[in-house]
Amino acid sequence: MAEITKLATKYRPKNITEYEGNDYIKTTVLNSFNEEPFPSSVEFIGNSGNGKTTIARLLAKRIVCESPKEVEYNGKMVKIPCDECTTCQLMDEFIETGDDSNLINVKELDATKQGRKEDIEAFIEEASSESILNATGMVSVNIVDEYHGISKDAQNAFLKFMEDSPENTVFIFCTTDPNKVIKTLRTRIVLSGLVVDRPTIENMVNSARRVCEAEGFSYTQGGLTMLAERSNFTYRVLLNNLERVARVQNNVITTDTVSETLGVKDLSFYFDFIRHLRARNMVLYSGDLHKVRLESDFNTFTDDLRDFVSRGLYVLYGHKVEGITDKELKNFKALFTQFSMVEIEALLSFLQKAKVGDIEINLMVLGTKGLVPKESKPEEEPPSKSIVVTDDDVTNERRAVSMSHKMQQEEKLKTTLTKVEDDLQDIDNSDVLKDFGF
């Protein structure tokens, strides 16, 4: 078997037209940089792994190529690198490795590692150096990767520079989080907000097929599709997985070899796993974990579970999810609509820290506790005796009230008569009657 080189490096596209997907981005870039003077700045936005840095390097190659050639693209003549000049050869090495040490007029800075004001000022000074620009007689291209990681002071330094930057200097900014960039800096970027979307399943299958044919791998459509679905919509992961399967399976890429190598399971396993977890059925739940222990590994399983839950939540909230069948779509809806927000929060919280420590033990603890811990119920007070009121009870009550009232009236009358008798006795003994001759 021929030695397999690093596929993710070897098959990184070396021309914008070779880049799979994001046709709008490719058309915009090719048209905007077709003739000089070029736009002084451009911004690419997108998730990690979507290809922002690759597009930035391909654009840099187009800009600095010594003898660009014209080709037809989407019905229009555009210029692309010649792939023959010395600069193109050096750029190919840079595109593959990210090493810009052999390039004079192309520099790349990773803002997550060099984001201080001092780093940016030195980068700007080198990028706009008169000696470099005069020596090459070409445009200076400067790529700033993850530029949202630059400190606020450094962003202000960029802002000041861009207000009066040299005409033959181009800055290419890449970011996963444009909201962390000060607005005044973004408004200075000529071509801003170019969103690099993640590849589709079809894009990834096409890329995998092209590599397989170039490398002489034997493959099936099902194998490539499973490989694409297993690669989290990231080209780098796709090619790394393809290389892994090819090495282990003697260059044969089928559903069986992909499943055997990457531990891919049918989604029904994950549906059952979540159902058993929600039901607190430790017999079935522990059986699922035991199966993972025997047939796969907990690190891979946790990655797959995270992807499964992500898909389920996207389906739950009405987003289109690629790479699943209609039956799986219905199953996702049926399962995740049963979740309460508390359960969703608990599951996501677990997945965030599942790999901290022993994954198997963490999963066991999750099954024991469940997504929503059982609350201890307060002691129930003995039910009070029910009182049933009947018509006879009402009648007797009325009789009792009437009798009491009658007795009160008789007592009151008796008191009054006694008082009258006493008053009459007093009158009999008084001198008043004597005065009247009684």
Side-chain angles (χ1 to χ4, degrees):
M1 180 177 66
E3 183 180 354
I4 302 173
T5 59
K6 188 70 175 176
L7 298 183
T9 300
K10 183 178 180 180
Y11 288 97
R12 184 190 290 263
K14 295 178 175 61
N15 189 303
I16 292 179
T17 57
E18 295 177 0
Y19 187 90
E20 189 73 41
N22 284 288
D23 292 336
Y24 166 74
I25 297 292
K26 293 190 292 187
T27 300
T28 301
V29 166
L30 287 171
N31 290 339
S32 299
F33 288 86
N34 201 36
E35 298 290 346
E36 295 188 44
F38 298 135
S40 61
S41 52
V42 59
E43 176 193 53
F44 294 118
I45 301 171
N47 294 329
S48 177
N50 279 15
K52 303 179 301 298
T53 306
T54 297
I55 290 182
R57 293 174 182 175
L58 294 174
L59 175 57
K61 180 180 178 181
R62 157 63 191 97
I63 294 172
V64 299
C65 173
E66 300 170 23
S67 303
K69 59 185 179 183
E70 278 196 330
V71 297
E72 184 178 348
Y73 182 77
N74 285 347
K76 185 175 180 179
M77 300 303 296
V78 295
K79 291 181 180 179
I80 64 173
C82 67
D83 288 326
E84 297 178 357
C85 67
T86 302
T87 301
C88 278
Q89 300 303 313
L90 293 174
M91 284 299 299
D92 285 344
E93 182 180 349
F94 166 62
I95 290 171
E96 289 184 6
T97 65
D99 182 5
D100 60 10
S101 59
N102 293 324
L103 296 166
I104 298 177
N105 57 330
V106 176
K107 296 298 175 184
E108 181 174 299
L109 179 141
D110 184 350
T112 61
K113 301 176 181 177
Q114 296 172 287
R116 299 176 305 167
K117 182 180 179 181
E118 295 80 6
D119 298 324
I120 299 305
E121 288 178 340
F123 182 72
I124 291 174
E125 183 178 356
E126 182 179 6
S128 58
S129 170
E130 290 293 332
S131 60
I132 292 178
L133 298 177
N134 292 336
T136 61
M138 299 168 65
V139 177
S140 170
V141 181
N142 309 279
I143 301 171
V144 187
D145 200 12
E146 301 297 350
Y147 86 109
H148 63 270
I150 299 173
S151 68
K152 288 295 186 290
D153 288 341
Q155 290 186 35
N156 283 316
F158 251 126
L159 176 62
K160 183 177 180 181
F161 172 77
M162 291 179 64
E163 289 176 346
D164 191 27
S165 61
E167 292 184 1
N168 52 351
T169 301
V170 176
F171 278 87
I172 305 175
F173 298 98
C174 302
T175 179
T176 56
D177 194 351
N179 294 324
K180 290 184 178 179
V181 181
I182 58 176
K183 292 183 179 180
T184 47
L185 175 56
R186 291 198 67 205
T187 56
R188 292 292 190 280
I189 299 175
V190 178
L191 291 177
S192 64
L194 297 181
V195 179
V196 181
D197 293 322
R198 75 177 187 177
T200 64
I201 291 293
E202 183 181 1
N203 294 150
M204 300 191 72
V205 168
N206 289 339
S207 293
R209 181 185 296 109
R210 187 166 56 248
V211 173
C212 285
E213 291 175 352
E215 292 290 322
F217 297 163
S218 173
Y219 67 89
T220 65
Q221 179 68 20
L224 297 184
T225 301
M226 178 175 284
L227 191 70
E229 292 176 350
R230 182 64 180 78
S231 299
N232 298 324
F233 299 94
T234 304
Y235 284 120
R236 183 171 56 250
V237 177
L238 171 73
L239 295 181
N240 286 338
N241 283 340
L242 176 59
E243 179 179 340
R244 180 180 170 188
V245 176
R247 289 182 183 277
V248 174
Q249 302 292 344
N250 197 28
N251 298 342
V252 176
I253 315 299
T254 65
T255 53
D256 289 338
T257 61
V258 172
S259 178
E260 181 179 338
T261 306
L262 302 181
V264 178
K265 290 182 171 58
D266 186 88
L267 286 183
S268 61
F269 178 84
Y270 296 92
F271 282 113
D272 290 338
F273 179 84
I274 294 295
R275 291 190 187 101
H276 300 159
L277 172 62
R278 292 191 72 245
R280 290 177 178 268
N281 191 326
M282 277 303 293
V283 174
L284 296 178
Y285 180 84
S286 60
D288 293 335
L289 294 183
H290 186 61
K291 186 174 182 179
V292 173
R293 183 187 184 95
L294 295 177
E295 299 179 8
S296 181
D297 64 87
F298 287 101
N299 187 67
T300 300
F301 171 73
T302 303
D303 288 339
D304 292 342
L305 181 63
R306 184 183 291 114
D307 181 63
F308 177 84
V309 172
S310 297
R311 290 185 177 193
L313 292 179
Y314 284 129
V315 169
L316 175 64
Y317 294 115
H319 299 288
K320 182 180 179 181
V321 177
E322 297 181 85
I324 61 176
T325 65
D326 291 340
K327 181 179 179 180
E328 289 169 343
L329 178 63
K330 292 179 181 179
N331 288 337
F332 270 121
K333 289 181 178 179
L335 177 60
F336 281 84
T337 50
Q338 299 176 34
F339 276 75
S340 67
M341 290 305 296
V342 174
E343 288 177 306
I344 291 174
E345 182 180 358
L347 186 55
L348 293 177
S349 177
F350 169 79
L351 291 173
Q352 274 187 319
K353 52 191 178 183
K355 293 189 176 183
V356 178
D358 191 310
I359 302 176
E360 183 178 8
I361 295 300
N362 291 340
L363 288 164
M364 281 288 190
V365 172
L366 175 66
T368 303
K369 290 185 175 180
L371 294 176
V372 182
K374 292 182 178 179
E375 298 180 359
S376 56
K377 296 183 179 180
E379 288 188 20
E380 297 182 359
E381 297 182 1
S384 57
K385 187 176 180 180
S386 301
I387 299 176
V388 180
V389 180
T390 64
D391 291 341
D392 290 341
D393 291 330
V394 174
T395 301
N396 292 335
E397 178 68 18
R398 287 176 178 173
R399 288 175 179 174
V401 171
S402 178
M403 182 64 70
S404 176
H405 179 69
K406 183 177 180 180
M407 292 176 65
Q408 289 176 1
Q409 292 296 322
E410 289 178 350
E411 186 66 29
K412 185 177 181 180
L413 178 60
K414 184 177 180 181
T415 302
T416 302
L417 290 174
T418 301
K419 188 176 184 302
V420 170
E421 289 178 355
D422 290 340
D423 289 342
L424 289 176
Q425 184 65 36
D426 291 339
I427 292 175
D428 288 340
N429 297 328
S430 69
D431 293 334
V432 176
L433 292 177
K434 291 179 180 179
D435 292 341
F436 283 94
F438 289 97

